[in-house]
Amino acid sequence: MTITPVILSGGGGTRLWPMSTPVSPKQFLALTGVHTMFQLTAMRVRDRTRFTAPIVVANVAHAQIVEEQLAAVGINDAILLLEPCARNTAPAIALAALACPDAETAMLVMPSDHVIADLAAFDAATDALLPLVENGWLATYGISPTAPETGYGYIQLDAAQAPGVHAVRRFVEKPDIARATEMIAGGDHVWNGGIFLFRADNFLEALSAHAPDMLAAAKSSMALATMQGHRIYPQLAAFEQCPSDSIDYAVMEKADRVAVAPVSMGWSDVGSWDSLHEIRDKDGDDNALSGAVRIDASTGNLVHADGIRISLHGVNDLIVVANGTEVMILPRGKSQKVRDFAKD
């Protein structure tokens, strides 16, 4: 079955301020290695014997950086679908479904700022889901939980539909710690990783049933779109009329046949400086260091220097980030405060 990757790259990445900014949000930064998270996402699907050219849904202001970063990893055939305004994930995916040259293609929808360490496990989950997707199911990837996290939504598993694939019983909003602990102990819940697989026509049918105003606005915007090379510019006035909603709320929680493949694939949404400390390589004192950093008699720190040198002595469990004229210092475990700083 043909698979068309759809890379969602419209996020602002405020939780990783001051490195991540509206001009250069986190997906375009090399925070986890040599390549940016956007590049890593695109490289995951560059095998053209398995995947078609990707559709990248991005903010119109980021068109140049998207093209530059794709070219740097040898990807020159992507379609850039440039949102004229932000309307959340469901409308973005609707634009991509309407842009697919083949209505029966399977759309592999991925956020551009997630890390997947075990690509073999990811590919195996895709293979397990494809037969159901071909038969009209909407599918998602459930992340096997490693702790009772309260920052993620959850998916409850229902009956097995195929090896490694279950029907979805329900989607669960971000729980408190007691509820998360209970769900993990029950063994039938996985994290909602926000990665999806479905045929373009089946998604549009579900959107027609559950969010018809959204589909109508997306269709109007695409009908009036302009093209410039590989770039598609949906029409602003029509898209502004589109309700703003996530794919979970608009479609997945309401659709009849929804499948999930639980998978352990070294996944992280890199949603905070704390989570970045977890996945970064660390020295013998549990320090994750990047840039010009001097450190002594200190443990458990995340230090990221860009533009100036940072020197630490005798401090533990801090997040220290410097970017240009901005310096942020927080205790580890308190990185949710970053959003407040980013608003200012």
Side-chain angles (χ1 to χ4, degrees):
M1 189 177 187
T2 304
I3 302 176
T4 297
V6 175
I7 301 174
L8 302 180
S9 188
T14 56
R15 290 177 293 177
L16 289 182
W17 182 91
M19 290 301 302
S20 179
T21 66
V23 173
S24 184
K26 70 171 183 174
Q27 61 266 31
F28 301 123
L29 304 177
L31 295 174
T32 63
V34 175
H35 295 104
T36 69
M37 287 180 283
F38 172 74
Q39 288 174 318
L40 291 171
T41 304
M43 291 163 67
R44 240 174 263 151
V45 291
R46 63 180 173 183
D47 179 358
R48 291 294 172 265
T49 65
R50 181 173 174 83
F51 302 102
T52 70
I55 297 173
V56 179
V57 186
N59 186 315
V60 66
H62 298 148
Q64 183 173 346
I65 192 170
V66 166
E67 291 175 337
E68 289 173 352
Q69 292 205 356
L70 288 174
V73 294
I75 299 174
N76 300 297
D77 57 353
I79 297 169
L80 270 63
L81 190 50
L82 299 171
E83 289 181 291
C85 59
R87 285 295 183 268
N88 214 320
T89 54
I93 297 166
L95 294 177
L98 292 167
C100 285
D102 180 0
E104 295 186 355
T105 189
M107 297 169 60
L108 174 57
V109 180
M110 302 174 292
S112 62
D113 55 359
H114 290 186
V115 169
I116 295 175
D118 189 344
L119 294 183
F122 177 58
D123 289 340
T126 301
D127 290 338
L129 287 169
L130 275 174
L132 275 77
V133 168
E134 191 167 13
N135 198 32
W137 287 65
L138 308 182
T140 186
Y141 297 67
I143 310 303
S144 299
T146 57
E149 288 283 349
T150 59
Y152 302 140
Y154 285 70
I155 300 169
Q156 186 175 20
L157 309 181
D158 208 331
Q161 300 297 315
V165 179
H166 291 256
V168 170
R169 177 169 294 179
R170 61 172 182 154
F171 288 81
V172 182
E173 287 302 302
K174 295 175 182 178
D176 59 26
I177 189 62
R179 182 70 181 120
T181 301
E182 180 184 344
M183 289 190 293
I184 296 292
D188 62 345
H189 286 78
V190 291
W191 293 337
N192 183 354
I195 304 172
F196 305 94
L197 186 69
F198 36 65
R199 280 175 29 172
D201 55 356
N202 293 143
F203 175 75
L204 293 174
E205 288 168 9
L207 205 61
S208 177
H210 303 297
D213 292 347
M214 185 181 295
L215 178 59
K219 281 184 172 180
S220 296
S221 184
M222 287 297 285
L224 297 170
T226 57
M227 295 191 66
Q228 180 183 334
H230 287 287
R231 296 183 181 185
I232 300 175
Y233 296 86
Q235 204 259 355
L236 170 61
F239 198 60
E240 282 181 322
Q241 304 306 309
C242 190
S244 178
D245 208 350
S246 71
I247 180 177
D248 292 316
Y249 286 140
V251 174
M252 302 301 285
E253 294 183 5
K254 300 172 182 175
D256 294 327
R257 294 195 298 166
V258 181
V260 58
V263 57
S264 297
M265 55 184 181
W267 172 90
S268 173
D269 68 346
V270 197
S272 68
W273 288 109
D274 284 307
S275 65
L276 191 61
H277 179 269
E278 292 176 10
I279 65 173
R280 275 259 189 93
D281 291 335
K282 291 176 273 291
D283 65 16
D285 293 317
D286 199 35
N287 297 300
L289 310 175
S290 179
V293 179
R294 296 185 299 184
I295 193 163
D296 179 62
S298 302
T299 64
N301 300 288
L302 171 73
V303 189
H304 191 98
D306 190 353
I308 61 174
R309 183 166 65 176
I310 298 175
S311 303
L312 287 85
H313 170 78
V315 297
N316 304 316
D317 300 320
L318 291 182
I319 297 168
V320 183
V321 183
N323 182 26
T325 61
E326 297 279 7
V327 178
M328 182 189 69
I329 304 172
L330 294 170
R332 274 183 48 212
K334 300 293 184 180
S335 58
Q336 69 273 13
K337 180 65 179 175
V338 170
R339 281 184 165 177
D340 296 333
F341 289 143
K343 289 176 184 176
D344 295 336

